[in-house]
């Protein structure tokens, strides 16, 4: 009788272990977001104070446990982490980039050197712009289903067709502007 009870307990423990601790490390998105937020609170002294407070109040411990037992298990079985929605790592020819989507645009952060840029879509203007170092620049604005308005120099805009010929024409405009600027 003891042998059956011990065997049943071991089988139950193995099942529980296999469900709660998958063989995948996981992305620990909740813990990483919390740590990332803490690193941007203020200067290094304020960051350390918040870190210590979160350690004493077990905020980090609870976030780590939630990642370990729940979020990483969901990530293992479904392939996506609920906390990582709207975030994706992209492998580019120049390195890795973290792309975050917030419904209004995209934040693109280089995993190599930490540089970042922001792409925003303006619903009213139907335009995409890029924000680099606090300066916003228009990339293009939709005119209709087959044309976009693009910058062609200082305060000058051109309407081009959304086609291979239109892209080629725009590349010639940009090449001419760059040549003239030299």
């Amino acid at each position: 009788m003891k042998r059956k009870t011990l065997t049943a307990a071991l089988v139950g423990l193995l099942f529980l272990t296999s469900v709660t601790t998958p063989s995948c490390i996981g992305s620990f998105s909740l813990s990483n977001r919390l740590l990332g937020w803490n690193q941007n609170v203020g200067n290094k002294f304020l960051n350390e104070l918040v870190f210590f407070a979160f350690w004493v109040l077990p905020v980090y411990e609870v976030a780590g446990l939630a990642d370990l037992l729940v979020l990483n298990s969901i990530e293992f079985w479904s392939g996506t982490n609920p906390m990582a929605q709207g975030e994706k790592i992209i492998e580019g020819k120049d390195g890795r980039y973290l792309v975050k989507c917030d419904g209004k645009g995209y934040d693109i952060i280089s995993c190599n050197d930490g540089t970042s840029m922001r792409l925003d879509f303006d619903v009213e203007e139907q335009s995409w712009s890029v924000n680099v170092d606090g300066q916003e620049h228009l990339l293009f604005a939709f005119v209709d289903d087959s044309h976009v308005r693009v910058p062609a120099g200082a305060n000058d805009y051109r309407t081009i067709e959304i086609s291979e010929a239109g892209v080629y024409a725009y590349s010639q405009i940009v090449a001419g502007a760059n040549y003239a600027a030299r």
Side-chain angles (χ1 to χ4, degrees), residues 47-115:
N47 292 350
E48 180 63 23
L49 182 65
V50 171
F51 176 79
F52 184 72
F54 280 10
W55 180 72
V56 170
L57 296 173
V59 174
Y60 285 119
E61 291 84 347
V62 170
L65 190 62
D67 268 334
L68 180 68
L69 296 178
V70 179
L71 299 174
N72 287 348
S73 296
I74 292 171
E75 181 177 7
F76 176 76
W77 293 108
S78 70
T80 59
N81 188 314
M83 291 300 297
Q85 297 298 324
E87 292 185 6
K88 187 171 185 174
I89 298 284
I90 304 292
E91 294 287 339
K93 68 178 184 178
D94 299 332
R96 296 176 63 191
Y97 298 90
L98 172 66
V99 180
K100 297 179 181 181
C101 177
D102 62 8
K104 296 179 183 176
Y106 300 92
D107 288 304
I108 303 169
I109 304 159
S110 171
C111 297
N112 306 322
D113 59 8
T115 58

Side-chain angles (χ1 to χ4, degrees), residues 3-71:
R3 185 171 218 155
K4 286 184 181 180
T5 306
L6 181 61
T7 303
L10 283 175
V11 168
L13 181 63
L14 284 173
F15 175 76
L16 183 63
T17 302
S18 71
V19 171
T20 59
T21 57
S23 63
C24 165
I25 293 175
S27 61
F28 287 86
S29 295
L30 179 62
S31 301
N32 288 330
R33 278 190 182 184
L34 184 61
L35 184 61
W37 173 82
N38 183 25
Q39 290 173 337
N40 294 316
V41 169
N43 63 31
K44 65 182 182 179
F45 300 108
L46 184 59
N47 292 350
E48 180 63 23
L49 182 65
V50 171
F51 176 79
F52 184 72
F54 280 10
W55 180 72
V56 170
L57 296 173
V59 174
Y60 285 119
E61 291 84 347
V62 170
L65 190 62
D67 268 334
L68 180 68
L69 296 178
V70 179
L71 299 174

